[in-house]
Amino acid sequence: MRRLTYLEAVNEALDEALGQDKRVFLMGEDIGIYGGGFGATKGLEEKYGAERVRSTPISESAIVGLAVGASMTGMKPVVELQFSDFITIAMDQLVNQAAKIHYMSNGQFQVPLVVRTPGGSGTGAGAQHSQSLENWLAHIPGLKVIQPATAYDAKGLLHAAISDNNPVVIYEHKLCYPLEAEVPEGRYTVPIGQADIKRSGEDITVVATGIMVIRALEAAEKLANQGVSVEVVDPRTLFPLDKKSILQSVKKTKRVLLVTEAVLRSSFASELSAVIAESDVFYELKQPIERLGGKEVPIPCAKNLESLAVPKVQEIEAKISHMLFKNDKEQTIEKPR
């Protein structure tokens, strides 16, 4: 099968959606001739025209507000916010309007809106262009939140999001854009709310999101040379969350490490920890749930400092090794009667 980069897969999905459904149109800053901040819409204005690939002024609130209104009339807007940090400016439209209109209108209106936005650190873009705020949106009833880590998932989930009649926010990690994977030709969908076992293992489960999926897989490969079998689970969507697949994996390995790039405090790893702790699987764990996440600092601009602010492959590897070989607290938790 052919291989595409993550960015090429996103571009192809947008191309296919525009070609197959005249209700689909794109909006965002510099997405026309320039092709978007990272090139995800390159060549699409030339192919479909400026009416359907609309470059907009720098006003995230206006962009998303316009898209909410358009979606209520039956259109299918796909918005690109140049950096996910800027979603904070569009929060009123997303949180107070898009997420609630279906409920408040008693189902008379739907909001089939997709917001794509690059997030995360690793490019030296500084504190206002490198955050991981996906958990803010995952907290809001009425919004679906997707975080694909591979090119295959990025294309399939984008098609699924455009087909959905609810507002969907897609966080695309910038460091994933150049990564290649096998991607089928033509339209296909990856179900929203279905996790993926990226690597099967027996000794410990690592649940990771975004670029941390890639780093967890690298750590698992290194540990395999030492005879350690790591299972890597990628939720792919934060909400709806595939709790069943995650709990089945943890039940099998009886140890779990949760890895996120976001600041650990109040992160999605905290939510995952609660999901496991509130399940019967908790009583089968051989040691406490462990988390690994970003430091409680704004992301530095200097790359040497930036790399210290978020988990690296070596840290994931070291954490797993510590849990498996140096933890003297290993015991099965007794379920109260």
Side-chain angles (χ1 to χ4, degrees):
M1 186 183 296
R2 67 182 182 150
R3 295 177 68 83
L4 294 181
T5 66
Y6 189 116
L7 197 63
E8 291 169 337
V10 171
N11 180 272
E12 187 168 89
L14 294 172
D15 190 355
E16 291 168 352
L18 286 163
Q20 293 165 3
D21 189 341
K22 292 189 180 303
R23 296 173 298 172
V24 175
F25 71 99
L26 315 183
M27 287 199 307
E29 298 148 359
D30 294 328
I31 69 165
I33 294 173
Y34 188 64
F38 293 88
T41 57
K42 188 175 181 181
L44 298 180
E45 184 188 294
E46 290 90 333
K47 189 171 182 178
Y48 296 100
E51 286 288 313
R52 298 187 67 199
V53 182
R54 290 174 172 261
S55 285
T56 65
I58 303 174
S59 178
E60 287 76 14
S61 180
I63 298 166
V64 176
L66 194 157
V68 170
S71 66
M72 291 171 65
T73 70
M75 301 297 288
K76 285 183 167 289
V78 181
V79 168
E80 177 179 302
L81 298 181
Q82 210 164 61
F83 290 89
S84 67
D85 313 70
F86 304 161
I87 209 167
T88 54
I89 302 167
M91 287 294 264
D92 179 59
Q93 296 297 340
L94 275 172
V95 174
N96 289 329
Q97 308 304 330
K100 295 176 172 60
I101 286 171
H102 180 78
Y103 297 90
M104 294 176 67
S105 69
N106 194 27
Q108 294 183 76
F109 293 102
Q110 295 176 323
V111 184
L113 160 67
V114 176
V115 176
R116 300 180 33 255
T117 187
S121 66
T123 60
Q128 296 167 322
H129 299 75
S130 306
Q131 297 168 89
S132 299
L133 304 178
E134 60 275 1
N135 202 38
W136 289 25
L137 278 299
H139 177 74
I140 305 301
L143 294 180
K144 296 181 179 180
V145 182
I146 296 174
Q147 200 172 20
T150 68
Y152 176 88
D153 291 341
K155 180 178 175 181
L157 282 165
L158 180 50
H159 271 307
I162 293 171
S163 299
D164 204 290
N165 283 327
N166 300 286
V168 182
V169 181
I170 304 177
Y171 280 87
E172 302 166 351
H173 199 288
K174 298 186 282 283
L175 294 185
C176 290
Y177 279 154
L179 303 181
E180 289 188 352
E182 292 185 344
V183 179
E185 295 184 29
R187 183 183 185 279
Y188 67 90
T189 61
V190 170
I192 294 174
Q194 183 173 306
D196 187 37
I197 308 298
K198 288 287 192 277
R199 182 188 179 106
S200 183
E202 301 294 333
D203 296 328
I204 186 170
T205 294
V206 176
V207 185
T209 54
I211 190 65
M212 292 301 144
V213 174
I214 308 302
R215 293 180 183 175
L217 288 170
E218 287 186 41
E221 185 65 28
K222 290 184 175 182
L223 288 164
N225 296 326
Q226 303 171 33
V228 176
S229 178
V230 179
E231 181 147 304
V232 178
V233 181
D234 176 6
R236 298 196 291 198
T237 63
L238 306 190
F239 184 83
L241 178 65
D242 183 359
K243 298 179 183 178
K244 182 179 179 182
S245 294
I246 293 168
L247 293 175
Q248 282 178 341
S249 176
V250 178
K251 182 180 178 69
K252 180 177 74 171
T253 65
K254 304 189 188 308
R255 299 179 183 87
V256 61
L257 172 63
L258 310 170
V259 187
T260 178
E261 176 173 321
V263 171
L264 196 56
R265 169 163 47 91
S266 299
S267 68
F268 195 69
S270 303
E271 173 64 16
L272 289 170
S273 179
V275 167
I276 296 165
E278 290 171 354
S279 74
D280 286 341
V281 173
F282 176 74
Y283 298 105
E284 299 188 36
L285 292 175
K286 290 186 176 179
Q287 60 192 88
I289 301 164
E290 296 269 5
R291 298 180 300 152
L292 189 60
K295 303 292 189 299
E296 294 193 17
V297 295
I299 298 294
C301 189
K303 281 202 168 185
N304 61 327
L305 298 178
E306 182 184 37
S307 68
L308 297 175
V310 300
K312 297 184 286 294
V313 173
Q314 297 88 337
E315 290 174 79
I316 300 171
E317 184 182 355
K319 190 77 169 180
I320 293 171
S321 295
H322 176 78
M323 290 178 68
L324 291 176
F325 302 122
K326 298 180 182 176
N327 196 314
D328 58 1
K329 298 178 182 177
E330 183 165 306
Q331 59 183 350
T332 300
I333 300 165
E334 185 176 349
K335 187 174 184 177
R337 296 180 178 178

